[in-house]
Amino acid sequence: MPRPLWTGAISFGLVTIPIKVVSATENHSISFHQYHLEDMGRVRTRKVCELDGEVLSQDEIGKGYEVAKDRTVPVTDEELDRMPLPTAKAIEIVAFVDAGSVDPVRISDSYYLAVDGQVAAKPYTLLRKALERSDKVAVAKFAWHNRERLGLLRVRDDALVLHAMRWPDEIRSPESLAPRDVELEEGEIERAVQLTDSMALDGISGFKDRYREALEELIAAKSEGKELPEPREGEEEEPGKVMDLMAALNASVEAARESRGEEGEGGHATVHEMKSGTRGRAAKKTAKTAKSASAAKKPAKKAAARKRTAS
């Protein structure tokens, strides 16, 4: 089990469930160090006191709140722990709601809740069963990292999961971002729906981080003194300008069907679709045709220029 990030209890009515909070996710991102280009020396970030210029260790650093210019009020961890807050060491369930009623934008980090001792096994299982049978999720409050937070409890593979949530006033309104007065034909909407059907999957577990894989190959090649890997063919397409929305939808639907081994309508693409194609192929074909035409015109222009000079 990963190292617990926090220990406390779930408050479920009059039921108390001792738990340990562990991270539900892992970060597999590749991180880089900053270094001096001239001699490859590491560049580090140090915490320095602005009064005496001394580099400080973590043990010498405390918390403080600036109430006015040149006046800071120190606050210790012990004072924060003694705050009269019912959620200081408890995840207090305050309501149960339908899972579909929660806006995903409000969901933040995720944590697993593990039982803390055998005494927690029965009430933990009781809460899990209640959530499963009611088909609801629990809304809870808890205090963590110097602030009270809103959380969401649900069941995942027989374990309780806590999702940290943002408060309603922390979500910006998208009202000014959506386009206004856009006219769409019914056929365009229907074709877009067909595209969603063609690209439908049973789940998203098959996706992987191809950027991280390519970055690992790059680092391995450089560390072993080998040639850098070549760009993979077929994975990049030049951006093109598709003027016909319906043509783009038709081509996208056919491409999605072909990728699944399904036969398109009538067994082949229509003339309308072939004119559109994909953005990358259309842009490349147009550029190639224009280049060939330009090359063919150059000898004729030069011949005409020599004729005029001779005359």
Side-chain angles (χ1 to χ4, degrees), residues 276-291:
S276 170
T278 62
R279 295 188 175 189
R281 289 195 294 270
K284 291 177 181 177
K285 186 176 181 181
T286 302
K288 185 176 181 181
T289 303
K291 186 176 181 181

Side-chain angles (χ1 to χ4, degrees), residues 77-113:
D77 291 336
E78 291 75 15
E79 290 170 336
L80 293 174
D81 291 338
R82 290 199 304 267
M83 285 191 348
L85 192 65
T87 56
K89 293 296 287 183
I91 300 173
E92 181 185 5
I93 294 177
V94 294
F96 294 90
V97 299
D98 293 329
S101 66
V102 180
D103 186 351
V105 174
R106 296 184 58 183
I107 296 177
S108 183
D109 297 326
S110 302
Y111 306 92
Y112 287 131
L113 303 182

Side-chain angles (χ1 to χ4, degrees), residues 5-306:
L5 304 174
W6 186 81
T7 58
I10 300 174
S11 175
F12 175 37
L14 298 179
V15 178
T16 299
I17 311 172
I19 52 94
K20 298 177 181 179
V21 178
V22 298
S23 179
T25 60
E26 294 179 322
N27 185 3
H28 291 165
S29 299
I30 297 176
S31 58
F32 295 99
H33 294 308
Q34 291 183 324
Y35 68 94
H36 188 190
L37 288 172
E38 183 176 334
D39 55 17
M40 295 298 294
R42 279 284 302 276
V43 178
R44 301 180 182 272
T45 302
R46 297 183 178 181
K47 297 182 178 180
V48 179
C49 176
E50 64 179 18
L51 297 181
D52 57 21
E54 293 292 326
V55 178
L56 305 179
S57 65
Q58 190 60 43
D59 295 337
E60 299 174 287
I61 300 175
K63 299 183 182 70
Y65 184 82
E66 188 176 17
V67 294
K69 188 175 181 180
D70 298 330
R71 186 185 172 208
T72 301
V73 175
V75 180
T76 66
D77 291 336
E78 291 75 15
E79 290 170 336
L80 293 174
D81 291 338
R82 290 199 304 267
M83 285 191 348
L85 192 65
T87 56
K89 293 296 287 183
I91 300 173
E92 181 185 5
I93 294 177
V94 294
F96 294 90
V97 299
D98 293 329
S101 66
V102 180
D103 186 351
V105 174
R106 296 184 58 183
I107 296 177
S108 183
D109 297 326
S110 302
Y111 306 92
Y112 287 131
L113 303 182
V115 292
D116 190 4
Q118 188 57 35
V119 68
K122 187 172 182 177
Y124 185 99
T125 305
L126 175 66
L127 176 57
R128 190 195 75 205
K129 292 288 187 183
L131 291 174
E132 290 175 335
R133 188 165 299 183
S134 65
D135 198 24
K136 293 183 182 298
V137 293
V139 179
K141 288 183 177 182
F142 63 102
W144 201 3
H145 294 166
N146 303 329
R147 58 176 297 193
E148 188 173 55
R149 296 169 178 249
L150 197 64
L152 197 69
L153 269 70
R154 68 177 183 88
V155 179
R156 184 179 190 272
D157 297 337
D158 294 336
L160 293 177
V161 182
L162 171 66
H163 299 289
M165 295 183 64
R166 299 185 182 277
W167 295 98
D169 59 358
E170 293 179 322
I171 305 299
R172 294 172 177 165
S173 172
E175 183 178 357
S176 61
L177 306 178
R180 296 286 186 269
D181 302 327
V182 176
E183 295 184 3
L184 291 174
E185 297 180 3
E186 189 62 28
E188 293 173 331
I189 300 175
E190 288 296 327
R191 203 57 170 161
V193 172
Q194 291 178 21
L195 177 57
T196 63
D197 292 338
S198 300
M199 298 178 65
L201 296 174
D202 293 331
I204 60 174
S205 59
F207 291 102
K208 57 184 180 180
D209 188 349
R210 293 195 300 170
Y211 180 85
R212 180 170 62 88
E213 291 179 353
L215 188 57
E216 288 174 345
E217 292 177 8
L218 171 67
I219 293 172
K222 294 202 70 173
S223 64
E224 297 171 7
K226 298 179 180 179
E227 291 187 6
L228 299 184
E230 295 292 330
R232 299 174 185 176
E233 295 183 1
E235 294 190 359
E236 292 186 3
E237 291 188 350
E238 295 178 6
K241 189 175 183 180
V242 178
M243 300 301 294
D244 191 332
L245 179 58
M246 181 58 79
L249 289 170
N250 287 336
S252 300
V253 171
E254 294 304 317
R257 286 173 174 166
E258 289 176 8
S259 68
R260 290 178 171 228
E262 301 175 3
E263 190 170 316
E265 297 176 357
H268 56 82
T270 65
V271 174
H272 185 61
E273 290 163 357
M274 291 176 68
K275 285 182 179 178
S276 170
T278 62
R279 295 188 175 189
R281 289 195 294 270
K284 291 177 181 177
K285 186 176 181 181
T286 302
K288 185 176 181 181
T289 303
K291 186 176 181 181
S292 299
S294 176
K297 290 179 181 179
K298 287 182 179 179
K301 289 183 178 179
K302 290 181 178 178
R306 286 197 296 267

